[in-house]
Amino acid sequence: MTYTLATTVDLPWTETVDRTRDALSAQGFGILTEINVRSTFETKLGTEAADAVGDYVILGACNPALASRALAAEPEIGALLPCNVVVRRNKDADATTVEAIDPQTMVQLSAAPAVKEIADDAGTRLRKALADLGDAAK
């Protein structure tokens, strides 16, 4: 089962994170949270664990209009928000991977027809952001 949408880009880590933010913003997503997994692992588990995960950040992306519609249709869907977008690169990689949760995952968990509409819209936007990110790397 595939539950993410992904692209791999030949850009440096920091530039990929910045361009990911820009691509999401262009599709109406803001970043509500940011978890630096590498930094957290280094602090809590040590350098070896941080090196094993590599550069890894989780961006909690939210499109307020879509989130509002989703919560109105099914308040419990908030447990699945925001849409997580991962930017990761291990120390030996030549490229950086960007992955987003596939909003269709929500459809599998909800019987509300409005949730499918919202997930379709969010999926279209996330796919466009990832495609634009890939295009920017060329």
Side-chain angles (χ1 to χ4, degrees), residues 67-82 106 109-112 115:
S68 176
R69 288 174 47 209
L71 292 171
E74 190 167 323
E76 299 84 359
I77 208 83
L80 300 175
L81 301 177
M106 290 188 293
L109 300 173
S110 172
V115 170

Side-chain angles (χ1 to χ4, degrees), residues 47-127:
T47 303
E48 189 175 318
D51 288 345
V53 76
D55 292 322
Y56 199 115
V57 66
I58 302 170
L59 303 173
C62 178
N63 179 302
L66 295 178
S68 176
R69 288 174 47 209
L71 292 171
E74 190 167 323
E76 299 84 359
I77 208 83
L80 300 175
L81 301 177
C83 296
N84 284 329
V85 178
V86 171
V87 183
R88 63 183 172 85
R89 181 183 185 124
N90 74 31
K91 66 180 179 175
D92 298 323
D94 293 330
T96 304
T97 300
V98 181
E99 296 173 301
I101 187 74
D102 185 341
Q104 291 303 315
T105 303
M106 290 188 293
V107 175
Q108 297 171 15
L109 300 173
S110 172
V115 170
K116 178 169 179 10
E117 260 182 55
I118 297 159
D120 289 346
D121 190 353
T124 298
R125 292 169 185 262
L126 288 169
R127 281 183 185 83

